[in-house]
Each structure stands twice: as structure tokens, then as C-alpha cells.
Amino acid sequence: MALTRQDIARSGLRLLNDVGLNGLTLRLIAGDLGVKAPALYWHVKNKQELLDRMATQMLADAVADRVPPDGLDPWQLLEHQARTLRRTLLAYRDGAKVFSGTYLDDLSLLGPPPLQGLIDAGLDATRAVRATFTVYSFVIGFTIEEQAVYPRPGERDERYGPADEGAAIFRDVEAGFSDGLAMVLSGARQWVEAA
């Protein structure tokens, strides 16, 4: 069977949970796939291209697994997408770092913007994109920080001490994320609607 970019990305995602982003190499992936490292260079030129493909695969899996419920208004859809993205990133060790700053090589996975209904109703498209990107940036940033404290689910990095000694955000991460997302969505909505 011929090696594909998807095979390489899936291998990278599997290995990510074992070795983390810093330990992930093309040589390690080649070993996992039972090929020599040069065989991978036909499909990915370097580690950044590998990360781009892995991020795209993460998004493809999330889109396939988490279809939004019917009847959501544009803001509820944006919230649903934010929560879905976070769950996707948390499924992998260093998932947020992998996703951050990567180039998605299949933009069709993004689908229509969550605020498309507002754009259709006359909202300035630039403001809608900025609001959406701000929510996206919050999710990525929050999840990077969360995964620094909890590199794997239920496993707290000892450098941060016990949860009861840390900042409130790390005592109840779910509540911290929900509160932060509510603040960002509320601010984005007020900003958009004030235009």
C-alpha cells in the first residue's frame, strides 16, 4: 500500500501523545510507518509542513465527529465551534501548539463562517471575521496554557504545584474556559453590534 500524507499525519498524531511536540521527528514517524525517513520527504518537506498536515487532519476529524445541532443562531454556532476546537486540541498532547500558527491545507474544512447569517443580514464581513478570529485566538491561547499545566488529561505538571495552590483558573479549568469564552463572546457581540 502506498504511503499518503494522511498516513504520515495520523502517525504523527499517534506519536504526539507519547513523545510530545518537542520529541516528534520525521525519523520517528518513519520508524512508526516502517519506512526510511527519506520516503516521507516525497509527502512533507519539513517538520512545519508535517505540522500543517497534522493540524488539517485534526480539524478534519473534528468536523466529521462533531456536527453542530440544528437551530443554532450565529453566536451559538461560534460558541459550539470554539468548544469543539478545544476538545479537538485536548485530544492530543501539545495539540494546541501543533494547531497554533499552522497553515491548513484544506480550507474547505472550515465551512461557512459561523457569523455568515449576520453577514447576510448586513454585518460588515471584516468585523465578523475579526470577531471570529478573536474567539479562535482565545481558544488556542487558553488551551496552550491549559496543556502546559495538564500535559495529559488528569496529569498535572509538578512545576505548577497542587491545584489548590495555583491560580483559580487551574483549579477548575472547565469553569475557567467557559467563563473566558463567555467574556470573549459577549465582548465580540457588543463590538459587532455597535458597528
Side-chain angles (χ1 to χ4, degrees), residues 9 25 32 50 57 63 68 80 84-85 90 94 102 111 129 131 139 163 165 177 181 184:
T25 64
D32 181 59
L50 168 67
Q57 190 62 56
V63 167
H80 173 82
T84 296
L85 177 59
L90 288 175
D94 295 328
T102 55
V129 168
V139 174
E165 293 178 7
F177 177 78
L181 181 58
V184 172

Side-chain angles (χ1 to χ4, degrees), residues 7-35 40 47 50-51 54 91-95 98 152:
D7 295 332
I8 295 167
R10 287 201 182 280
S11 173
L13 290 170
R14 269 193 319 273
L15 291 168
L16 191 62
N17 288 329
D18 294 332
V19 301
L21 183 57
N22 291 338
L24 187 65
T25 64
L26 289 169
R27 184 179 305 271
L28 188 61
I29 292 171
D32 181 59
L33 294 171
V35 299
L40 300 183
K47 189 168 181 178
L50 168 67
L51 296 178
M54 288 169 58
Y92 302 98
R93 181 176 170 188
D94 295 328
V98 168
R152 297 174 196 209

Side-chain angles (χ1 to χ4, degrees), residues 123 126-131 134 186-195:
L123 175 68
T126 300
R127 289 181 79 84
V129 168
R130 286 183 181 151
T134 299
S186 174
R189 187 171 192 158
Q190 287 178 15
W191 180 76
V192 162
E193 291 175 353

Side-chain angles (χ1 to χ4, degrees), residues 36-48:
K36 301 280 188 203
L40 300 183
Y41 289 104
W42 285 100
H43 303 281
V44 292
K45 295 177 193 162
N46 51 43
K47 189 168 181 178
Q48 185 57 56

Side-chain angles (χ1 to χ4, degrees), residues 55-69:
T56 301
Q57 190 62 56
M58 289 167 67
L59 185 59
D61 293 344
V63 167
D65 292 341
R66 296 189 176 99
V67 177

